Amino acid sequence: MAKSKKSNPSTNLSDSQYYINRELSWLEFNSRVLHEACDARTPLLERLKFLAIFSSNLDEFFMVRIAALKQQVEAKVNLLTPDGRTPQQQLDDIRLKLSPQVTKQNEQFEQVLQPLLASEGIYILDYIELNQKQRNYLDNYFEEQIFPVLTPLAVDPSHPFPYISNLSLNLAVVLKNPDTEEEFFARVKVPKVLPRFLPLPPDLGIRQDGQPVHWSGVPLEQAIAHNLESLFPGMNIQEYHPFRITRDADLELEEDEAEDLLLAIEQELRKRRMGGTPVRLEIKSQTPESVRSRLLQDLELTEKDIYEVDGLLGLRDLMYFMALPLPELKDTPRQSVVPPRLQRLREPSVDPNVLELEEGKDFFSIIREKDLLVHHPYQSFSGTVERFIASAAHDPNVLAIKMTLYRTSGDSPIVNALIAAAENGKQVSVLVELKARFDEENNIYWARRLERVGVHVVYGLVGLKTHSKIVLVVRREKDRIRRYVHIGTGNYNPKTARLYTDLGLFSCREELGADLTDVFNFLTGYSRQKSYREILVAPVNMRDRFLELINREIENVKNGFSGRIVAKMNALVDPQTIATLYAASRAGVQIDLIIRGICCLRPGLKDISENIRVISIIGRFLEHSRVFYFHNNGQEEIYIGSADWMRRNLDRRVEVITPIKDQDIAKDLQEILGIMLADNRQAWDLQPDGSYIQRRAGEDSPETHSQQTLMSMVLRSVGII
């Protein structure tokens, strides 16, 4: 049993020294992503994928977080973060931490991965390495396919510096008039409508030793650069230099003043396509001072906004190579399965939207037997969540379907099922969150499509994003109405469900059905619901309830019992929650946190957080599930749901967390948490200074890989292995 430590009771647990900066913690997370690209144990094309993810993550970080900090500096906002930094101090510290990461990324690609790719028959060539036949092919391709798309833009007193769109790759071209010796400056945009990498035909990509090449080609910008004479006939091309800019891309929306939220967001999206204020300029390190200063001046940036690269710009485009049919260079294909209880449902043979049933078993009768937990991507999303909604859409006894949509895919079977349900005469209500960052346009499309077929579409509450993942199905059964629910940790998105680890609970417990009914009334009407039977709802009661659960563990330890908390989530930022966890640690509560991304809590601080351990797992799948375990003096309680411990989740979003009442499911969740805590392959331990150390298997201990272990467990459950 843990004993409480004697410490100064007057210690201020809100002191800035006990908190890690949010932005710097995020950079540590992205550094762990970069490590996967550097780890020789990762398959080669997967390493390219992680480089691309690192770059894509950085783009969004600059478009949102850096842009917001720069706005605060310009507005002379000097409020301190919980760790005691001003906006300008954060920008300065971010640059110090980020510059070496960018250098590491490009060195990894240029010096390590390119040679490894070449050894596997994948050649990303420089144009100057091409032989004459290859050059002739690409020059012809340029004339036929690229040249008609390009628009060279002069920059002079009569041609002001052109607007350069967000995340665009460009060439800064210096030209000279051979008659007057006068120099000119021009910009050529590398078009996004063409592939970033241009492949050579197979007959031009044969090794000298006769071994075939799987892929060879050049970056698109090099094909353009070596044909600039076609764009500027009669001029001498002096030099060219690629550059890339990032702009502020966060929506600026005054909801209180927007009479039509959908229209207001559409207008903001049009602004985003062009982008806001520039926040970053990426150039090659050998770019001369004259071009460099010209770009800074015209973009109204400073030297601190420049990030130099030795090699290709925009490595997010390396995701292109994941399409190569080379399974030996990728992760072993994943096989998701349908849970054993749902395998009693026979797939339809004629109409794919109607489930033919054996022995009278339908999806609803399976749930009536007992609650069902599903774990994606190990268990099939299409065979569980999609199937549930499709069953409801076509079941003649279903009267109504209500659900929230935060993010969904471009061709969503779920949306199609909701449309079918409306066409079948069912009452269908969907809350589409228009403010889901970078998914606004997609959500507007689905909202309009749903409205056209008679679905009741609502767009959430002013000032709150609806982030909860909930479905409510109302069904007539004999002489009663029964409600079926799905409460999940992840978005109703078939594509991300293959890549993100998420959990979902199916149940027909009356208390949950009544609670979700109240939540939907809160979302669609004027309900001021302040209490719920079982679930935790933000911003209503979730913050207070989580603090109560933590404080209960403290009281148990003070009364001579043991205290234990295990929590898994994406981010831990909320200062009040962190201070309460510190208090729990000081009381002797043993706390294990599995935080994939940002963690502002410092573990292992003497007399503050000695009983807190924090790990992050970075692997093949993006850890996205949220699970919360409280020992409760042996009367264990465990919860799952949509919320992280962040201010935005607890105070500015509609979130739903559900308790797990089924003891078998509770044990399964505890086993999942235990497997993750034992990971010594892709788990990283957070240190008190905010850095992370990756775990390694010892000489006498086997390597334990949580995601592989969970995949194997699911396959064994259905007899595949």
Side-chain angles (χ1 to χ4, degrees):
M1 180 180 69
K3 293 184 179 180
S4 62
K5 300 230 178 229
K6 290 185 178 179
S7 56
N8 184 357
S10 64
T11 300
N12 179 12
L13 296 179
S14 298
D15 193 298
S16 62
Q17 66 179 312
Y18 303 139
Y19 293 81
I20 299 170
N21 180 263
R22 170 188 170 140
E23 316 303 346
L24 298 182
S25 181
W26 184 90
L27 290 179
E28 282 286 345
F29 157 68
N30 212 30
S31 178
R32 298 193 293 280
V33 173
L34 178 58
H35 177 84
E36 290 299 305
C38 303
D39 194 328
R41 298 173 295 178
T42 305
L44 183 55
L45 289 181
E46 303 291 342
R47 293 173 72 174
L48 277 190
K49 177 191 75 176
F50 279 109
L51 277 188
I53 294 172
F54 175 86
S55 289
S56 180
N57 286 348
L58 263 190
D59 287 343
E60 185 169 333
F61 182 70
F62 272 88
M63 288 188 289
V64 177
R65 303 303 302 179
I66 296 293
L69 287 172
K70 288 173 73 71
Q71 287 176 0
Q72 291 176 42
V73 170
E74 291 169 7
K76 295 182 169 53
V77 174
N78 287 308
L79 293 177
L80 298 183
T81 56
D83 61 290
R85 284 177 168 86
T86 65
Q88 186 59 58
Q89 287 173 329
Q90 291 181 82
L91 287 172
D92 294 341
D93 291 342
I94 287 168
R95 183 173 178 83
L96 282 174
K97 195 173 190 73
L98 181 55
S99 292
Q101 291 184 8
V102 173
T103 299
K104 180 180 179 180
Q105 178 202 25
N106 286 280
E107 288 178 349
Q108 181 69 18
F109 175 65
E110 299 289 337
Q111 300 174 20
V112 179
L113 294 185
Q114 286 228 61
L116 288 174
L117 290 166
S119 70
E120 296 289 348
I122 302 170
Y123 292 90
I124 305 173
L125 303 169
D126 285 327
Y127 191 90
I128 58 175
E129 298 175 330
L130 303 179
N131 60 39
Q132 195 57 51
K133 286 186 178 179
Q134 292 169 332
R135 291 190 182 197
N136 290 342
Y137 169 80
L138 283 178
D139 291 347
N140 289 333
Y141 184 89
F142 173 85
E143 291 295 331
E144 295 175 3
Q145 303 290 331
I146 303 175
F147 178 76
V149 180
L150 300 178
T151 304
L153 296 174
V155 181
D156 56 35
S158 62
H159 299 89
F161 192 80
Y163 187 92
I164 299 175
S165 56
N166 186 33
L167 301 182
S168 63
L169 183 60
N170 307 269
L171 296 178
V173 184
V174 179
L175 313 131
K176 181 179 284 188
N177 186 326
D179 298 328
T180 64
E181 295 296 306
E182 185 180 3
E183 281 196 346
F184 296 93
F185 183 87
R187 172 256 189 166
V188 178
K189 180 178 179 179
V190 178
K192 291 184 179 180
V193 294
L194 298 175
R196 172 72 191 280
F197 298 97
L198 302 179
L200 291 165
D203 60 325
L204 294 180
I206 303 296
R207 291 180 180 172
Q208 291 182 352
D209 59 9
Q211 296 184 19
V213 173
H214 294 302
W215 189 95
S216 65
V218 300
L220 173 60
E221 65 269 23
Q222 291 194 13
I224 295 172
H226 286 273
N227 285 276
L228 287 172
E229 293 85 356
S230 299
L231 292 172
F232 305 99
M235 301 290 283
N236 291 337
I237 309 299
Q238 300 296 101
E239 53 189 303
Y240 66 88
H241 303 281
F243 69 96
R244 184 175 184 264
I245 72 162
T246 312
R247 293 180 177 272
D248 177 358
D250 211 8
L251 294 184
E252 297 181 4
L253 192 67
E254 296 293 338
E255 289 185 65
D256 291 334
E257 299 176 7
E259 293 183 8
D260 187 329
L261 183 60
L262 187 142
L263 179 60
I265 289 180
E266 284 187 314
Q267 292 171 344
E268 285 296 316
L269 285 174
R270 283 194 284 272
K271 296 178 186 177
R272 178 194 280 171
R273 290 191 192 100
M274 297 301 292
T277 305
V279 294
R280 176 178 59 165
L281 171 63
E282 295 171 273
I283 60 174
K284 289 200 172 185
S285 55
Q286 59 267 36
T287 303
E289 180 59 33
S290 58
V291 174
R292 182 187 183 112
S293 59
R294 178 69 182 265
L295 291 173
L296 286 178
Q297 178 182 342
D298 289 329
L299 292 168
E300 298 181 348
L301 293 171
T302 70
E303 284 286 337
K304 289 185 177 181
D305 300 314
I306 286 183
Y307 283 82
E308 295 182 349
V309 172
D310 286 316
L312 285 180
L313 301 179
L315 293 185
R316 66 186 292 163
D317 295 327
L318 291 175
M319 197 66 78
Y320 166 92
F321 293 97
M322 287 302 292
L324 292 177
L326 298 170
E328 66 275 16
L329 301 181
K330 303 178 187 179
D331 285 327
T332 304
R334 174 190 57 81
Q335 184 175 4
S336 64
V337 302
V338 175
R341 286 174 57 195
L342 292 181
Q343 290 190 2
R344 286 178 283 172
L345 301 182
R346 180 160 52 89
E347 291 295 339
S349 58
V350 181
D351 184 352
N353 294 315
V354 179
L355 298 176
E356 297 177 5
L357 310 173
E358 289 182 346
E359 301 175 356
K361 292 291 183 184
D362 58 20
F363 208 113
F364 304 105
S365 63
I366 298 295
I367 298 175
R368 285 198 300 275
E369 292 173 353
K370 62 180 300 191
D371 289 358
L372 173 66
L373 181 77
V374 290
H375 195 185
H376 314 300
Y378 312 110
Q379 292 175 319
S380 167
F381 184 80
S382 62
T384 56
V385 176
E386 289 181 18
R387 197 170 191 175
F388 173 64
I389 297 171
S391 298
H394 295 279
D395 188 310
N397 294 316
V398 167
L399 305 177
I401 303 173
K402 302 181 181 185
M403 77 177 297
T404 59
L405 280 179
Y406 188 71
R407 302 185 195 275
T408 191
S409 63
D411 184 19
S412 173
I414 287 177
V415 174
N416 291 334
L418 293 172
I419 290 171
E423 291 173 341
N424 288 337
K426 304 184 189 307
Q427 182 88 0
V428 183
S429 302
V430 180
L431 187 138
V432 178
E433 181 47 76
L434 296 182
K435 302 184 292 293
R437 182 177 286 142
F438 300 118
D439 268 338
E440 299 96 343
E441 190 166 9
N442 193 44
N443 287 2
I444 287 173
Y445 169 77
W446 287 121
R448 288 203 159 129
R449 186 174 171 194
L450 289 166
E451 284 180 326
R452 282 198 295 269
V453 296
V455 172
H456 298 294
V457 179
V458 292
Y459 302 123
L461 304 172
V462 172
L464 297 174
K465 280 187 181 180
T466 301
H467 189 248
S468 55
K469 328 294 183 183
I470 53 177
V471 179
L472 174 67
V473 172
V474 181
R475 190 171 187 262
R476 179 188 291 113
E477 295 175 0
K478 296 181 179 178
D479 58 349
R480 62 168 295 183
I481 298 293
R482 194 189 300 268
R483 290 173 283 202
Y484 296 82
V485 307
H486 174 268
I487 302 175
T489 69
N491 301 308
Y492 293 110
N493 187 322
K495 291 183 179 178
T496 58
R498 297 194 290 266
L499 304 172
Y500 293 11
T501 69
D502 273 305
L503 294 159
L505 177 73
F506 291 102
S507 178
C508 62
R509 287 194 292 110
E510 186 58 35
E511 295 82 2
L512 285 183
D515 272 349
L516 286 203
T517 298
D518 289 339
V519 171
F520 279 108
N521 289 341
F522 170 62
L523 292 171
T524 62
Y526 291 107
S527 168
R528 303 284 293 175
Q529 189 83 15
K530 294 297 183 183
S531 63
Y532 293 87
R533 299 155 189 82
E534 291 189 355
I535 64 175
L536 285 59
V537 178
V540 180
N541 67 346
M542 186 177 293
R543 174 185 288 280
D544 290 344
R545 182 58 180 151
F546 270 133
L547 295 178
E548 288 171 6
L549 293 169
I550 298 170
N551 282 316
R552 186 177 63 188
E553 297 299 313
I554 295 174
E555 289 303 311
N556 286 336
V557 171
K558 288 180 177 179
N559 291 328
F561 304 106
S562 60
R564 178 95 166 104
I565 297 170
V566 183
K568 178 182 184 295
M569 65 198 87
N570 299 331
L572 171 57
V573 176
D574 181 63
Q576 185 182 15
T577 305
I578 292 173
T580 310
L581 290 171
Y582 285 153
S585 172
R586 298 176 80 201
V589 179
Q590 297 298 310
I591 303 171
D592 281 289
L593 303 173
I594 307 167
I595 314 292
R596 182 198 75 214
I598 303 168
C599 181
C600 296
L601 176 149
R602 294 187 186 274
L605 295 176
K606 182 176 175 54
D607 294 334
I608 299 295
S609 56
E610 289 174 285
N611 291 317
I612 303 178
R613 297 155 295 277
V614 180
I615 68 168
S616 170
I617 293 177
I618 305 294
R620 173 178 183 173
F621 306 127
L622 184 78
E623 290 295 337
H624 193 254
S625 56
R626 289 93 166 184
V627 188
F628 307 93
Y629 165 88
F630 301 90
H631 183 255
N632 190 26
N633 194 24
Q635 301 298 309
E636 299 163 315
E637 291 186 11
I638 195 161
Y639 299 77
I640 67 169
S642 59
D644 296 314
W645 283 346
M646 301 178 73
R647 279 174 170 166
R648 71 184 188 190
N649 298 91
L650 299 173
D651 300 332
R652 301 194 302 273
R653 290 184 172 185
V654 179
E655 307 273 11
V656 171
I657 298 282
T658 181
I660 300 298
K661 296 295 187 179
D662 185 284
Q663 292 305 304
D664 291 333
I665 294 177
K667 290 177 182 176
D668 289 343
L669 288 170
Q670 290 179 52
E671 183 178 19
I672 291 170
L673 292 174
I675 289 169
M676 304 197 79
L677 291 173
D679 190 304
N680 61 13
R681 166 61 179 86
Q682 291 183 302
W684 297 71
D685 288 300
L686 175 58
Q687 307 302 301
D689 65 356
S691 65
Y692 286 77
I693 297 176
Q694 189 177 40
R695 291 181 178 176
R696 296 278 176 169
E699 293 182 2
D700 300 326
S701 59
E703 188 173 87
T704 303
H705 188 311
S706 58
Q707 293 186 349
Q708 285 188 357
T709 300
L710 292 167
M711 207 177 319
S712 298
M713 284 176 54
V714 169
L715 293 176
R716 278 196 297 272
S717 73
V718 294
I720 293 179
I721 61 172

